[in-house]
Amino acid sequence: MDHAISNIHILKYALEAEIPCQILDEHNRIYLVKSTITLSKDNLYGKYVSLIPLTTKVQGLTLKGFKYPLENACLSIGLSLGVSNEIVEQMATIELKKGILMVIESRD
């Protein structure tokens, strides 16, 4: 577990250098975002999308095209609000104004 958590934190270096980087295993695709991204339902790694703050807070979070949408929300470390969401439209958008968000596309 220590290596998995450390590897997730290493993704921050790639994010800061604007180098696309992700962690893949048989069940998950993990990457970090600090700005708006669009996801295609057809290209998801799995059915579920979890959003977990890597910074203390992720502010101004808006989710469109998700089963559980959000509008200008704040996610803080220690809360489970962003876990196990699903994309319900063909395209979904994750927008954030401040912070770093870990995105986990999961098959389980």
Side-chain angles (χ1 to χ4, degrees):
M1 185 59 72
D2 55 342
H3 288 269
I5 292 170
S6 179
N7 287 334
I8 290 167
H9 283 261
I10 289 171
L11 289 173
K12 186 174 179 278
Y13 292 106
L15 182 71
E16 290 171 350
E18 298 182 6
I19 299 169
C21 191
Q22 58 189 359
I23 297 171
L24 290 172
D25 69 14
E26 61 274 7
H27 299 285
N28 304 284
R29 174 170 36 206
I30 304 169
Y31 51 94
L32 304 179
V33 297
K34 62 180 179 178
S35 59
T36 299
I37 65 165
T38 301
L39 302 174
S40 167
K41 189 172 185 176
D42 293 338
N43 293 330
L44 283 181
Y45 198 68
K47 178 179 178 180
Y48 302 102
V49 179
S50 290
L51 307 172
I52 300 170
L54 190 69
T55 50
T56 304
K57 291 183 180 182
V58 171
Q59 296 174 327
L61 180 63
T62 298
L63 304 179
K64 297 176 183 173
F66 283 85
K67 184 174 183 177
Y68 305 107
L70 290 174
E71 184 69 38
N72 202 33
C74 179
L75 287 186
S76 298
I77 286 181
L79 300 177
S80 62
L81 180 64
V83 176
S84 292
N85 208 336
E86 298 177 42
I87 293 178
V88 293
E89 296 180 19
Q90 187 56 40
M91 303 299 283
T93 304
I94 300 170
E95 300 174 14
L96 61 145
K97 294 179 182 169
K98 186 175 181 183
I100 299 174
L101 193 61
M102 179 184 358
V103 179
I104 303 173
E105 298 177 15
S106 178
R107 294 179 177 173
D108 57 359

